[in-house]
Amino acid sequence: LSESLTTLQHAIDSQRRVSGPGDRVEAFALSMMSATLRSRGDLEGALQRIQEALEILRKLLGPSHDEYAEALQAYGEIHLERNDLAAAVPALTEAVAALRANQAPDHYETAQARMANALLLMRTERATEAAAEIRAAISVYHKMLPPDHRLVVAARSALGESLLLQGKLDDAEPLLVNSIEQFGDTVHYERRLALRRLIRLYELKGIAAKGRQFENELLALEETPRSR
């Protein structure tokens, strides 16, 4: 991960020397840096980078553009992880509206909007509605992505969380366990979220030993050396 961050920073520095600061290549690299930092739990570093990317994309493309909306979704999700609903709700609400605008129901970006909306619904005690949104998104993903694609696996993990929140622990467990197996050793923020969901599941089921196994995995993931 440190090598990845160094490579991205070099790309930004090179692009600034050639084109000056504030172009789409720089915004893309900043978004990738944000995702990398988020993957190992550095939420403050991730937030800083995605804010920088958003400033560039708003100036270049405007708030209705898909690239801006996707970055805004990431920004809102980071605030959800920080338990800052006051910042997360308006960001995700705006991202959902932009991603849904003028798109067909089976469009990829509509599926992305459904996933963002589901995250909001789960955090506002509307898990049943969230599950419906996630299932609709998964249906779209299945038409265009292989079953082991990261977005499909992440959506199944989120569906597991929505079932967990409804008290359907036995239905949630296979989805969450499978998502961890599918992610493997990938260092990605979706895997970190999946581990947290599975730990919570075993807490609720009262199976401490299983929960500790995944707590150790999460600890190892979040102790990855950081470079800002």
Side-chain angles (χ1 to χ4, degrees):
L1 283 178
S2 294
E3 290 182 7
S4 175
L5 287 170
T6 300
T7 299
L8 288 166
Q9 188 61 58
H10 285 163
I12 290 171
D13 294 341
S14 297
Q15 188 66 26
R16 285 174 174 170
R17 285 194 294 271
V18 173
S19 306
D23 69 358
R24 289 172 78 175
V25 174
E26 181 179 349
F28 176 78
L30 286 165
S31 295
M32 293 296 293
M33 289 180 76
S34 176
T36 301
L37 291 165
R38 184 181 172 195
S39 295
R40 60 197 187 191
D42 184 358
L43 298 182
E44 299 309 313
L47 186 61
Q48 178 185 336
R49 271 45 171 219
I50 202 65
Q51 284 175 321
E52 293 173 19
L54 280 168
E55 289 175 10
I56 293 170
L57 292 171
R58 178 179 278 274
K59 289 177 183 177
L60 290 177
L61 306 174
S64 61
H65 195 279
D66 295 340
E67 286 182 44
Y68 178 83
E70 289 174 2
L72 188 62
Q73 178 180 350
Y75 172 84
E77 289 179 9
I78 292 167
H79 276 300
L80 275 186
E81 285 195 68
R82 296 173 72 248
N83 295 313
D84 186 352
L85 284 179
V89 170
L92 287 172
T93 300
E94 182 182 344
V96 167
L99 289 167
R100 279 182 167 157
N102 303 317
Q103 300 292 3
D106 61 350
H107 194 277
Y108 164 81
E109 279 157 8
T110 305
Q112 288 290 89
R114 288 187 181 278
M115 291 303 303
N117 193 43
L119 293 175
L120 277 179
L121 290 169
M122 284 193 285
R123 292 299 294 271
T124 53
E125 300 182 357
R126 297 163 67 187
T128 302
E129 294 172 67
E133 285 279 74
I134 297 166
R135 287 190 171 100
I138 289 173
S139 177
V140 173
Y141 288 150
H142 279 164
K143 295 175 184 177
M144 60 186 71
L145 300 171
D148 61 348
H149 191 279
R150 178 183 62 81
L151 290 176
V152 179
V153 178
R156 288 201 297 264
S157 173
L159 180 59
E161 181 180 6
S162 71
L163 295 172
L164 184 157
L165 292 172
Q166 294 176 64
K168 300 177 180 179
L169 304 186
D170 290 338
D171 293 331
E173 184 172 9
L175 288 167
L176 295 174
V177 170
N178 179 258
S179 69
I180 294 297
E181 292 171 350
Q182 290 289 315
F183 281 129
D185 293 331
T186 305
V187 181
H188 192 276
Y189 61 82
E190 293 287 7
R191 177 176 168 235
R192 190 166 56 80
L193 292 177
L195 285 167
R196 287 187 171 184
R197 288 163 176 155
L198 200 51
I199 291 165
R200 179 58 179 156
L201 173 82
Y202 289 125
E203 285 176 356
L204 292 172
K205 294 191 85 168
I207 308 176
K210 280 193 174 183
R212 278 194 296 273
Q213 171 193 339
F214 296 107
E215 285 172 1
N216 290 335
E217 284 191 41
L218 180 62
L219 183 62
L221 180 62
E222 294 189 339
E223 282 186 343
T224 306
R226 298 180 181 180
S227 81
R228 298 176 188 268

